[in-house]
Amino acid sequence: MLQRQSTLFLPTLREDPADAEAVSHKLLVRAGLIRQVGAGLWTYLPAGWRVHENVVQIVREEMNAIGGQEMSMPVLTPAELWQLSGRYDKFDSLMKIRDASGRDFVLSPTNEETVTLHARELRSYRDLPKILYHVQTKEREETRPRGGLIRVREFVMKDAYSFDRDEEGLERSFLAHKGAYEQIFERCGLETVAVEAESGMMGGSESVDFLAPSGSGENTLVTCERGDYAADLEIARGVPAAPDFPETLASPAEVETPGIETCESLAGFLGIDLAATSKAMPVVADGKVVLALVRGDDRLDEAKLAGVLGSLVRPAHPEEIREAFGAEPGSLGPVGFDGDVVVDETLREGQFVAGANRTGYHLRGVQQGRDFDGRVADIRVAREGDRCPNCGGTLVFRTAIEVGHIFKLGTFYSVPFEATYLDEQSVEHPMQMGCYGIGPGRVLAAIVEQRHDERGIVWPASTAPFDVHVLSLDGGTAEIAGLASGLAEELSAAGRSVLLDDRDARPGEKFADADLLGCPLRVTVGRKSLEDDSVDVRRRGDDADSRVPRASVIDWTGQD
């Protein structure tokens, strides 16, 4: 394949976009690969779409290798499907529309409902297992789009769905997809870490996130310095330093704390360690006020709390707080509270200062199990510098981009959709499901985040827009232009995808654009080539050219 740059729509820029912070945002725009249409809405220009489709092709090949069957499901889906699964009113980022006849629809961000509807035609154990997938446009009501392709409102996603007879079959499908994803990211030249993750609105019991460490991203990768632990911050567990407790009391002692409304001011007022206070976080779950307790120096992780309660949670309103506790926020605590209490693991042992449920008062010496009974669970946000829960090593935080996520859904969708099968004894069972997503656009951005230098992008050969960039430094000389064109045609005939820079532009501009675009191999044909029948060659990322005979260029491009 040969593309002449003089005819290619490749509008490169010399300056970074004014609103760009992420490296991938800056370089993808400057290299002429993407352009913004609106907030969170991007067009892939021709060279950018070539990269996107190279990623998609790798995904297709690896999905097909584990038995995946590609199909295509609509973006526009009836609201009834989402109401049946229970996600219509719970999925905050759903884009909902109504047609002219008054029917409600959803612009799908994912396709569990639709694929489960189709899976009802799998009626016998003989029909299982199955892996169905598609590569389709998705929409989400993203309120804070940012980072170019990292956080968007419209995107392409490969989502796959597995259907199995039982949990053992689901485990096999889950592991097959995990292996396929590892192979996909390796082929894309992308460093990723598979971590424990939160299932969130997808439902199900277990999920693994594939995070690509990067300079920008929406996720935080938490790893142990000793390499034996990795998790997304949403689910990460850390062991903080032990508090410096005040003297032990035989029973809680009330102390007046006028005007004290935060743990920081409480610790200062009493002259104690902030970690020896407890932070009361009243929330509402399933219509009831629940008290969550974490240490005063910690933050509550609402996703973890929702997982413990098995329900979505929201902060309690002031009037709900006053009715449930009889006190104002800032003086709340577990002692005497007539409701459910969820206590972070860090409060399992020791005595803490807590609100007295009396405005302007706190209790010293409050002890879990003695003064109140709560459900103990990990509900705090891990902090950098915490100790690893496995080995005690130090936890390290890195910004990352989520490029893939796999879930064990179990029967979360198959039960409400009555997606069942008959076993050998004609007994009916709900199918065990898994779902598996990859965002090619996110992969593309993550590659740029990880592979760039001060001059531009450094694409791996597997995803680059072109294999070889041939620069014709002809200066208007037909003989040099002909030599460059002939060499480009030879490379194309040998199976390489070639971009020939045949523009009437200065050499410096051509070199700058070539570095910015970042094709793996560069071949430069200039006036000297007429004298020695040789050309300058360079691999992107190298600092200097090499001179090789023109007849050897094809062999050189085939070398690793």
Side-chain angles (χ1 to χ4, degrees):
M1 179 269 178
L2 172 58
Q3 172 68 57
R4 294 180 179 273
Q5 198 162 340
S6 59
T7 62
L8 178 64
F9 184 33
L10 188 71
T12 58
L13 303 175
R14 291 289 165 256
E15 302 295 330
D16 293 335
D19 62 338
E21 297 178 359
V23 169
S24 57
H25 184 177
K26 296 174 183 177
L27 291 179
L28 289 169
V29 171
R30 285 187 55 206
L33 303 181
I34 63 173
R35 284 294 183 270
Q36 189 168 12
V37 177
L41 301 172
W42 291 88
T43 292
Y44 289 87
L45 302 185
W49 189 245
R50 287 179 62 85
V51 178
H52 185 279
E53 290 304 278
N54 286 340
V55 174
V56 169
Q57 184 57 29
I58 291 172
V59 171
R60 280 196 173 104
E61 290 172 4
E62 296 301 328
M63 287 304 303
N64 293 343
I66 62 170
Q69 300 177 51
E70 187 171 5
M71 57 194 293
S72 180
M73 291 176 279
V75 178
L76 184 67
T77 54
E80 290 88 342
L81 296 180
W82 294 80
Q83 291 163 347
L84 185 57
S85 70
R87 296 203 295 175
Y88 188 74
D89 295 316
K90 295 181 179 180
F91 205 130
D92 292 338
S93 58
L94 277 189
M95 277 196 170
K96 303 173 182 178
I97 64 172
R98 180 169 293 171
D99 69 9
S101 62
R103 292 190 60 196
D104 292 321
F105 290 86
V106 167
L107 296 177
S108 297
T110 182
N111 287 87
E112 283 75 14
E113 284 80 3
T114 304
V115 78
T116 309
L117 174 71
H118 296 313
R120 294 194 300 194
E121 297 189 57
L122 302 171
R123 296 299 301 153
S124 168
Y125 71 94
R126 295 185 180 89
D127 298 327
L128 301 173
K130 284 286 186 299
I131 297 174
L132 305 174
Y133 77 96
H134 74 161
V135 182
Q136 180 61 282
T137 300
K138 302 291 191 294
E139 310 281 349
R140 62 181 293 132
E141 189 65 76
E142 180 55 68
T143 57
R144 295 185 301 109
R146 60 172 296 274
L149 299 181
I150 295 175
R151 192 180 184 101
V152 294
R153 305 184 77 190
E154 178 175 287
F155 53 97
V156 173
M157 177 172 282
K158 184 284 299 179
D159 40 329
Y161 304 91
S162 64
F163 300 88
D164 285 279
R165 296 179 56 176
D166 48 34
E167 292 182 1
E168 290 77 10
L170 173 57
E171 175 70 8
R172 286 191 295 271
S173 294
F174 191 79
L175 292 177
H177 281 83
K178 185 173 184 291
Y181 275 36
E182 290 167 348
Q183 184 70 10
I184 287 167
F185 299 132
E186 181 178 347
R187 288 181 61 185
C188 288
L190 189 60
E191 176 198 352
T192 60
V193 181
V195 302
E196 303 174 54
E198 177 64 41
S199 294
M201 284 308 302
M202 303 302 292
S205 60
E206 180 182 346
S207 75
V208 169
D209 213 348
F210 292 84
L211 299 182
S214 62
S216 299
E218 295 296 309
N219 293 69
T220 300
L221 170 61
V222 180
T223 56
C224 176
E225 61 178 350
R226 299 173 184 171
D228 65 343
Y229 181 76
D232 191 308
L233 180 59
E234 288 184 342
I235 202 172
R237 296 183 61 219
V239 181
D244 181 12
F245 287 113
E247 62 179 293
T248 302
L249 301 180
S251 62
E254 190 176 75
V255 57
E256 187 174 2
T257 53
I260 301 298
E261 297 182 352
T262 68
C263 290
E264 289 78 8
S265 59
L266 177 65
F269 180 78
L270 297 177
I272 61 174
D273 184 2
L274 177 61
T277 67
S278 65
K279 184 181 295 182
M281 304 294 291
V283 301
V284 175
D286 290 331
K288 297 180 181 178
V289 175
V290 176
L291 178 61
L293 284 180
V294 295
R295 272 185 11 180
D297 59 339
D298 279 331
R299 290 191 298 119
L300 172 67
D301 189 320
E302 289 192 2
K304 288 182 178 179
L305 178 61
V308 172
L309 297 174
S311 170
L312 294 177
V313 301
R314 64 165 175 83
H317 300 314
E319 60 274 15
E320 294 171 322
I321 292 173
R322 285 190 287 269
E323 182 179 351
F325 294 90
E328 296 293 328
S331 299
L332 310 181
V335 179
F337 172 58
D338 186 21
D340 291 337
V341 179
V342 182
V343 189
D344 185 70
E345 293 175 337
T346 56
L347 299 172
R348 185 192 298 272
E349 298 179 357
Q351 294 187 350
F352 296 80
V353 178
N357 293 329
R358 182 182 173 200
T359 301
Y361 288 85
H362 282 77
L363 296 176
R364 287 180 175 269
V366 175
Q367 184 173 321
Q368 150 68 19
R370 185 194 69 179
D371 305 314
F372 71 96
D373 289 315
R375 191 187 324 182
V376 179
D378 171 36
I379 58 171
R380 68 184 285 269
V381 177
R383 290 180 290 163
E384 192 162 16
D386 283 351
R387 298 192 307 279
C388 171
N390 292 341
C391 71
T394 301
L395 294 184
V396 178
F397 284 33
R398 287 189 287 173
T399 301
I401 298 173
E402 178 188 314
V403 290
H405 206 152
I406 61 177
F407 303 81
K408 285 184 179 180
L409 300 176
T411 60
F412 187 87
Y413 297 91
S414 57
V415 167
F417 277 83
E418 299 181 354
T420 62
Y421 73 94
L422 298 178
D423 67 13
E424 294 89 337
Q425 285 75 45
S426 296
V427 176
E428 192 172 54
H429 303 276
M431 284 179 262
Q432 294 283 336
M433 291 177 55
C435 72
Y436 317 88
I438 282 182
R442 284 267 187 97
V443 172
L444 191 155
I447 293 171
V448 177
E449 290 285 336
Q450 292 185 359
R451 302 174 68 110
H452 67 274
D453 59 20
E454 69 281 359
R455 300 190 303 272
I457 304 169
V458 185
W459 292 112
S462 60
T463 60
F466 301 93
D467 298 328
V468 188
H469 201 164
V470 177
L471 307 189
S472 176
L473 306 186
D474 54 83
T477 303
E479 191 173 1
I480 299 174
L483 185 62
S485 180
L487 181 57
E489 289 172 356
E490 291 175 18
L491 287 166
S492 178
R496 315 290 192 265
S497 59
V498 183
L499 177 62
L500 171 62
D501 191 345
D502 59 341
R503 297 174 298 165
D504 181 14
R506 296 186 303 275
E509 183 178 351
K510 293 190 176 189
F511 286 129
D513 282 349
D515 284 339
L516 189 57
L517 184 58
C519 296
L521 306 174
R522 190 178 80 192
V523 177
T524 304
V525 181
R527 189 171 300 279
K528 190 178 178 182
S529 300
L530 296 178
E531 302 170 2
D532 60 6
D533 200 29
S534 296
V535 296
D536 290 327
V537 296
R538 182 186 294 198
R539 298 184 186 280
R540 181 67 179 90
D542 289 351
D543 294 325
D545 290 339
S546 299
R547 194 76 177 165
V548 301
R550 186 180 63 82
S552 301
V553 171
I554 291 177
D555 290 338
W556 175 79
T557 62
Q559 296 173 2
D560 293 330

